């Protein structure tokens, strides 16, 4: 009897939701360590995009590559980071198909911890991609008027939005049957959002019907907010719009994802 009581008192306590989520986040980081090819999308791809658009279109669109870079860099940083959010859904779908999440369900932890932790791990990818683009931009001649605080504030806002935006792809990762389907749907959504925005040119040069879409595009608001922060003249309405949109994305798509995950 004494041994039974002793064994019950020595049983490990159940980890908190935060501790479990951080543990699964560390798993996502370890996956990058063991498969370093995953870093291609957050290093080489952003560098190629920055160099290609700056030197291919900069002179034609702004008269000089240096002047275009001042306008373009915050936008291409947003484009590159938002584009890689789709890999959250792709990775989730792959783990589900391999049966990994079936094993996670049997663990005595907060059930959504695997999902939340996976997104926490992807935040590191977002920060790495944004930092890579900023370093390349500084080398090429980008000079943010807001200095270091402006750069950190812009990257912080981008990471918040990307974290919220990635919940859309977790939903698709649960709904669709293959990682190729997830990637296809993601591209179908991401390309219009990122290219039909104010990333590359001012919307004032676009046809009226296209301007109407660009003005309601969440990427346009995000880019405007980050540009203003990095320039040292924060546009509070755009910043608040982005934060509210991020909260709405988490509330809506986070809730749908959790419901799908618990019923799957």
């Amino acid at each position: 009897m004494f041994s039974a009581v002793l064994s019950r008192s020595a049983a490990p306590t159940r980890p908190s939701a935060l501790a479990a989520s951080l543990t699964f986040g560390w798993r996502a980081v370890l996956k990058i360590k063991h498969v370093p090819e995953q870093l291609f999308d957050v290093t080489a791809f952003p560098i190629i995009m920055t160099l290609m658009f700056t030197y291919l279109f900069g002179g034609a669109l702004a008269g000089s590559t240096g002047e275009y870079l001042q306008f373009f860099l915050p936008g291409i940083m947003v484009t590159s980071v938002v584009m890689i959010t789709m890999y959250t859904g792709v990775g989730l779908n792959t783990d589900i198909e391999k049966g990994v999440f079936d094993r996670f369900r049997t663990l005595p932890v907060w059930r959504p911890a695997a999902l939340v932790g996976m997104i926490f791990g992807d935040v590191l990818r977002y920060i790495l991609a944004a930092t890579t683009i900023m370093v390349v931009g500084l080398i090429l001649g980008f000079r943010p008027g807001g200095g270091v605080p402006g750069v950190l504030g812009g990257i912080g806002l981008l990471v918040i939005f990307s974290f919220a935006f990635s919940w859309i792809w977790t939903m698709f990762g649960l709904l669709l049957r293959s990682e190729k389907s997830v990637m296809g749907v993601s591209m179908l959504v991401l390309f219009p959002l990122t290219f039909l925005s104010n990333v590359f040119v001012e919307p004032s040069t676009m046809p009226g019907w296209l301007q109407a879409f660009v003005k309601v595009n969440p990427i346009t608001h995000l880019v405007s907010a980050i540009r203003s922060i990095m320039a040292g003249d924060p546009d509070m309405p755009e910043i608040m719009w982005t934060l509210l949109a991020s909260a709405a994305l988490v509330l809506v798509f986070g809730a749908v994802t959790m419901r799908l995950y618990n019923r799957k």
Side-chain angles (χ1 to χ4, degrees):
M1 181 177 178
F2 176 75
S3 61
V5 173
L6 182 62
S7 63
R8 284 198 298 270
S9 62
T13 58
R14 179 173 177 171
S16 65
L18 178 60
S21 298
L22 291 176
T23 300
F24 282 108
W26 180 244
R27 170 183 176 265
V29 174
L30 290 178
K31 287 173 67 176
I32 297 176
K33 175 184 176 181
H34 294 294
V35 188
E37 294 83 3
Q38 294 183 18
L39 292 178
F40 176 83
D41 292 317
V42 298
T43 53
F45 176 72
I47 292 173
I48 292 171
M49 290 281 286
T50 303
L51 293 174
M52 182 176 67
F53 279 96
T54 299
Y55 290 107
L56 189 61
F57 301 115
L61 294 175
S64 70
T65 56
E67 186 176 346
Y68 184 63
L69 187 65
Q70 292 298 124
F71 170 84
F72 171 67
L73 190 88
I76 195 61
M77 184 171 70
V78 169
T79 298
S80 299
V81 175
V82 169
M83 289 286 281
I84 64 176
T85 59
M86 69 176 178
Y87 291 108
T88 301
V90 173
L92 171 61
N93 187 272
T94 301
D95 281 346
I96 291 174
E97 291 301 313
K98 290 181 177 179
V100 175
F101 268 73
D102 289 335
R103 299 179 184 180
F104 291 160
R105 292 174 192 273
T106 64
L107 298 176
V109 296
W110 183 51
R111 198 171 188 187
L115 285 176
V116 177
M118 182 179 60
I119 297 178
F120 279 166
D122 284 341
V123 167
L124 178 63
R125 294 163 60 90
Y126 308 153
I127 295 174
L128 182 57
T131 303
T132 300
I133 293 176
M134 184 54 59
V135 170
V136 172
L138 292 173
I139 293 172
L140 296 179
F142 177 70
R143 296 296 179 263
V148 175
V151 170
L152 295 179
I155 292 177
L157 185 63
L158 175 57
V159 170
I160 290 172
F161 181 85
S162 299
F163 172 82
F165 200 65
S166 62
W167 283 101
I168 298 176
W169 313 130
T170 59
M171 181 190 70
F172 282 121
L174 291 168
L175 282 174
L176 302 178
R177 296 184 179 182
S178 68
E179 59 181 283
K180 291 183 179 179
S181 300
V182 177
M183 187 170 293
V185 171
S186 302
M187 287 294 186
L188 192 63
V189 174
L190 285 170
F191 266 92
L193 284 178
T194 53
F195 281 87
L196 301 181
S197 68
N198 62 344
V199 169
F200 302 99
V201 295
E202 287 287 356
S204 58
T205 62
M206 303 175 185
W209 59 269
L210 185 54
Q211 287 187 40
F213 174 80
V214 171
K215 288 178 180 178
V216 298
N217 186 345
I219 300 301
T220 297
H221 294 282
L222 175 62
V223 172
S224 296
I226 292 176
R227 277 192 181 127
S228 69
I229 294 172
M230 290 189 174
D233 185 22
D235 187 336
M236 293 310 299
E238 293 287 16
I239 294 171
M240 290 304 301
W241 193 100
T242 302
L243 291 174
L244 290 174
S246 300
L249 287 171
V250 174
L251 289 174
V252 175
F253 291 99
V256 172
T257 298
M258 293 302 180
R259 183 175 178 83
L260 290 172
Y261 181 64
N262 288 328
R263 295 179 59 183
K264 195 169 181 67

